[in-house]
């Protein structure tokens, strides 16, 4: 690494630590739960001296042991390209932005959005941009994921956000800090969501509906039970965990070009349980119609 690159990275780490220091009161140590402070624009430290350093791209790692996940750098890169260049989830970002506007009290000066299982961060970045340009002037976006690869990519591409490697079941935040908790196609921990949500906040969970990526599933799997998907158990669990507000279904079909098809195949965990041959024959297509079919669930704190 040459001197210029090293200085730029140092700069990025300091910039990010400065940004995080504006919101340090939100943090609680994931080990002992005490308050935390940003020190020397280098680390965030609790009152019992548990110390977590800022990485060169500006994220913090709150895990106490390394976690191996099947989500790779390549998968997150493909996800970012399909979301940003392929605009594959654009209608979803706008639907979520609109719901945030409808459900939050308009008089708030600043709103905080926490994305639990944010992956490489493009959804959070897009949603913050939409909310900021249309509805609320000031938005702070916080992304948490257990995958270091995901958070590393997020902090590399999106600045002025708070990015943390952490388990969504044990996050480094105090109680009742967030106006919105997003949970997009990721696992949940409703006890933790409930703990973190402000009393007038909302949880927005996105789950696949039966038609989600059906053309890809039909191609990858021969068994009908793998081709079909039911979200009923997930939806039931959500309804039991929150004072239920509403659910809506978002369905659309997009015509993907060759690049987008390649990103789609690389970004989905669906390929983890099929053969190389089936993956390759889809990968080599020049175009394809692909369905996005999702349930958007909105919950408020249980009383
Ligand atoms: C299918 S990906 C979705 C990522 C992102 N929300 C998106 O839609 O592009 C699921 C994500 O959940 C994350 N995840 C799984 N278990 C987690 C946990 N216990 N804590 C935090 N993140 C977790 C994975 O690392 C992965 O990034
Ligand atoms: Zn501590």
């Amino acid at each position: 690494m040459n001197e210029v690159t090293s200085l730029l990275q140092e700069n990025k780490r300091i910039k990010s630590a400065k940004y995080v220091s504006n919101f340090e009161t939100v943090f609680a140590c994931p080990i002992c739960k005490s308050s935390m402070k940003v020190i020397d624009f280098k680390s965030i430290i609790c009152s019992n001296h548990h110390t977590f350093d800022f990485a060169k791209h500006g994220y913090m790692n709150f895990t106490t042991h390394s976690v191996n996940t099947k989500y790779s750098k390549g998968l997150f890169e493909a996800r970012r390209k399909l979301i940003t260049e392929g605009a594959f989830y654009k209608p979803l970002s706008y639907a979520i932005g609109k719901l945030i506007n409808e459900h939050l009290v308009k008089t708030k000066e600043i709103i905080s959005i926490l994305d639990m299982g944010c992956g490489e961060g493009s959804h959070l970045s897009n949603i913050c941009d939409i909310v900021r340009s249309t509805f609320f002037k000031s938005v702070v976006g916080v992304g948490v994921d257990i995958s270091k690869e995901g958070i590393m990519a997020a902090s590399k591409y999106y600045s002025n956000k708070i990015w943390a490697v952490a388990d969504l079941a044990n996050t480094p935040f105090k109680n009742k800090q967030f106006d919105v908790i997003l949970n997009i196609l990721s696992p949940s921990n409703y006890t933790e969501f409930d703990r973190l949500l402000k009393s007038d906040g909302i949880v927005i969970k996105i789950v696949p509906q039966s038609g989600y990526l059906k053309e890809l599933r039909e191609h990858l799997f021969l068994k009908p039970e793998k081709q079909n998907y039911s979200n009923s158990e997930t939806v039931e669990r959500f309804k039991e965990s929150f004072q239920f507000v509403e659910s809506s279904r978002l369905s659309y079909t997009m015509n993907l070009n060759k690049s987008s098809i390649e990103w789609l195949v690389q970004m989905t965990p669906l390929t983890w349980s099929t053969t190389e041959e089936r993956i390759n024959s889809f990968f080599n297509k020049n175009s394809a119609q692909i369905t996005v079919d999702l349930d958007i669930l909105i919950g408020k704190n249980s009383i």
Side-chain angles (χ1 to χ4, degrees), residues 20-218:
V20 171
S21 69
N22 296 320
F23 305 100
E24 65 186 7
T25 53
V26 165
F27 287 84
C29 175
I31 299 168
C32 69
K33 312 294 171 204
S34 67
S35 296
M36 306 193 84
K37 270 194 162 314
V38 173
I39 305 287
D40 298 335
F41 301 123
K42 191 174 165 278
S43 315
I44 184 158
I45 302 180
C46 82
S47 31
N48 290 317
H49 307 291
H50 296 123
T51 302
F52 305 90
D53 292 338
F54 285 88
K56 64 181 180 199
H57 287 302
Y59 68 88
M60 293 156 284
N61 188 345
F62 290 97
T63 52
T64 44
H65 54 276
S66 77
V67 183
N68 286 327
T69 77
K70 284 181 92 174
Y71 291 89
S72 64
K73 191 174 174 183
L75 178 146
F76 286 121
E77 183 70 11
R79 239 180 150 81
R80 184 178 63 80
K81 291 239 168 97
L82 191 65
I83 297 171
T84 55
E85 293 176 39
F88 191 56
Y89 294 99
K90 199 171 174 185
L92 177 65
S93 300
Y94 277 91
I96 293 175
K98 193 161 165 273
L99 287 167
I100 292 175
N101 179 46
E102 280 166 16
H103 286 272
L104 284 196
V105 179
K106 300 293 170 306
T107 48
K108 286 177 186 279
E109 296 256 297
I110 179 166
I111 66 159
S112 48
I113 304 179
L114 170 65
D115 189 355
M116 294 286 243
C118 65
E120 49 62 61
S122 298
H123 288 308
L124 178 63
S125 172
N126 286 344
I127 291 162
C128 286
D129 286 349
I130 290 167
V131 168
R132 194 181 295 112
S133 63
T134 12
F135 312 122
F136 293 92
K137 270 194 222 91
S138 199
V139 180
V140 53
V142 182
V144 163
D145 201 284
I146 202 149
S147 162
K148 197 166 134 183
E149 293 292 356
I151 293 295
M152 209 187 287
S155 60
K156 191 168 161 195
Y157 287 100
Y158 305 112
S159 46
N160 285 347
K161 300 266 176 303
I162 298 173
W163 299 113
V165 182
D167 185 346
L168 60 78
N170 180 34
T171 58
F173 308 114
K174 289 184 188 149
N175 296 351
K176 313 244 167 275
Q177 296 298 322
F178 297 97
D179 295 292
V180 181
I181 294 183
L182 296 176
N183 183 227
I184 305 176
L185 305 169
S186 293
S188 307
N189 184 298
Y190 296 133
T191 311
E192 186 71 346
F193 291 10
D194 196 56
R195 182 182 77 76
L196 296 168
L197 201 61
K198 286 186 187 171
S199 52
D200 59 353
I202 53 169
V203 173
I204 303 179
K205 180 170 177 67
I206 308 301
V207 283
Q209 248 290 1
S210 54
Y212 185 59
L213 307 184
K214 68 177 159 69
E215 300 81 359
L216 179 62
R217 274 189 280 123
E218 283 162 8

